[in-house]
């Protein structure tokens, strides 16, 4: 006999992909739900273990974002000291530092922003969400005459990899777009981390983060609008992290107004 686990309301499933109000057969979860759980778990594992192919993704950035060539923004392929996925997963610190060959590619300039794309724990999130997000964000930055450093695409990268990259490029701010740790209903969630004056001594308290950027989460258009607000606010207040809050919407000169919802 098929039933339903009661107590949280059967209609909740209409509003969330979370596993609530699961159908049952006798005292057990229904077979279809067990199979769906196993599929989600496999997708999460695949997302963690998948590798980001740097050359093909860099080529996608160039071909699908014409704003890069219009604004003369280059794309660089970099690698961390994590030589493979196993080393990346077992030794997190290796994913926070660049290998010597990659570091040598970065030349200091007068940049307002250094954008880094890193696979993190979900290359799938990068493949699906980075280009739509940059497609909405970059034209706004170019129109506002932001000096954007070469886009760096990093294999086996953690959030903090944006610190040495931003420091070597001499950028005033660093933005890291990175695949988040997969959940059982979201193997393709992208995170965006903004850091004022990135350098290797920065900590997570120095960053602002937008999370769950994906179809079914925070859309690329909304995420780009919120990132633009944070970028403008950070530049006006010369800080990020715990010193920059959404409530601080009014800045000197009216540069930044309300945070877009």
């Amino acid at each position: 006999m098929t039933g339903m686990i009661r107590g949280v309301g059967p209609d909740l499933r209409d509003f969330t992909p979370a596993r609530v109000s699961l159908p049952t057969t006798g005292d057990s979860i229904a077979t279809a739900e067990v199979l769906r759980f196993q599929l989600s778990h496999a997708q999460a594992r695949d997302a963690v273990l998948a590798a980001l192919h740097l050359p093909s993704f860099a080529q996608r950035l160039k071909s699908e974002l014409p704003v890069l060539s219009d604004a003369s923004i280059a794309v660089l392929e970099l690698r961390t000291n994590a030589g493979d996925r196993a080393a990346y997963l077992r030794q997190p610190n290796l994913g926070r530092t660049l290998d010597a060959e990659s570091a040598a590619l970065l030349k200091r300039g007068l940049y307002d922003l250094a954008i880094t794309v890193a696979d993190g724990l979900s290359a799938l999130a990068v493949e699906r969400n980075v280009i739509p997000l940059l497609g909405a964000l970059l034209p706004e930055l170019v129109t506002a005459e932001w000096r954007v450093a070469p886009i760096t695409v990093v294999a086996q990268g953690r959030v903090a990899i944006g610190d040495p990259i931003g420091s070597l490029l001499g950028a005033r701010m660093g933005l890291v777009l990175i695949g988040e740790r997969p959940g059982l209903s979201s193997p393709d969630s992208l995170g965006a981390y903004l850091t004022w004056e990135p350098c290797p001594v920065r900590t997570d308290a120095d960053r602002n983060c937008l999370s769950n950027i994906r179809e079914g989460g925070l859309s690329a258009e909304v995420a780009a609008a919120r990132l633009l607000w944070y970028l403008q606010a950070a530049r006006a207040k010369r800080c990020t992290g715990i010193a920059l809050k959404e409530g601080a919407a009014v800045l000197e000169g009216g540069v930044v107004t309300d945070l877009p919802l």
Side-chain angles (χ1 to χ4, degrees):
M1 176 179 177
T2 299
M4 186 80 72
I5 294 177
R6 305 289 183 181
V8 293
D11 294 334
L12 285 179
R13 302 195 77 186
D14 296 333
F15 303 100
T16 174
R19 285 179 166 77
V20 296
S21 301
L22 299 178
T24 62
T25 299
D27 293 332
S28 301
I29 301 296
T31 300
E33 286 300 326
V34 174
L35 294 175
R36 274 192 279 271
F37 174 85
Q38 291 174 342
L39 174 61
S40 295
H41 188 255
Q43 290 174 330
R45 286 178 57 86
D46 287 347
V48 169
L49 298 175
L52 180 65
H53 189 254
L54 290 187
S56 62
F57 187 73
Q59 184 55 45
R60 281 190 61 201
L61 287 176
K62 296 173 187 174
S63 61
E64 297 181 34
L65 295 174
V67 65
L68 294 178
S69 58
D70 293 344
S72 300
I73 300 173
V75 177
L76 300 177
E77 301 169 27
L78 307 178
R79 288 174 172 76
T80 67
N81 284 310
D84 55 34
R85 202 62 176 164
Y88 172 80
L89 293 173
R90 292 168 181 165
Q91 302 180 71
N93 284 341
L94 296 180
R96 301 183 180 117
T97 56
L98 286 174
D99 70 8
E101 185 177 344
S102 294
L105 296 176
L106 301 176
K107 308 301 180 188
R108 194 173 185 84
L110 297 175
Y111 300 119
D112 295 311
L113 179 65
I115 299 176
T116 297
V117 179
D119 47 7
L121 289 171
S122 175
L124 180 64
V126 172
E127 294 278 2
R128 288 182 176 175
N129 301 305
V130 165
I131 290 177
L133 178 61
L134 290 180
L137 179 64
L138 282 173
E140 298 291 338
L141 296 176
V142 171
T143 299
E145 299 183 345
W146 281 63
R147 295 168 297 186
V148 180
I151 306 285
T152 51
V153 185
V154 186
Q156 318 294 4
R158 302 271 175 178
V159 170
I161 195 62
D163 295 336
I165 292 174
S167 179
L168 289 169
L169 288 170
R172 299 177 70 191
M173 273 185 280
L175 174 63
V176 176
L177 307 178
I178 189 168
E180 295 178 338
R181 184 185 304 278
L184 288 176
S185 60
S186 56
D188 59 347
S189 183
L190 187 74
Y193 293 80
L194 180 63
T195 308
W196 175 258
E197 293 185 343
C199 60
V201 299
R202 294 297 183 209
T203 69
D204 288 345
D206 298 316
R207 315 185 200 283
N208 290 93
C209 174
L210 285 184
S211 184
N212 198 31
I213 302 170
R214 65 184 179 91
E215 185 177 348
L218 195 64
S219 72
E221 293 76 15
V222 173
R226 294 177 75 91
L227 276 175
L228 187 61
W229 184 92
Y230 272 106
L231 287 164
Q232 292 172 329
R235 185 162 70 168
K237 300 194 71 172
R238 303 174 66 84
C239 64
T240 51
I242 58 175
L244 180 63
K245 298 295 185 184
E246 293 186 359
V250 179
L251 302 177
E252 291 184 7
V255 176
V256 179
T257 57
D258 294 336
L259 181 71
L261 299 176

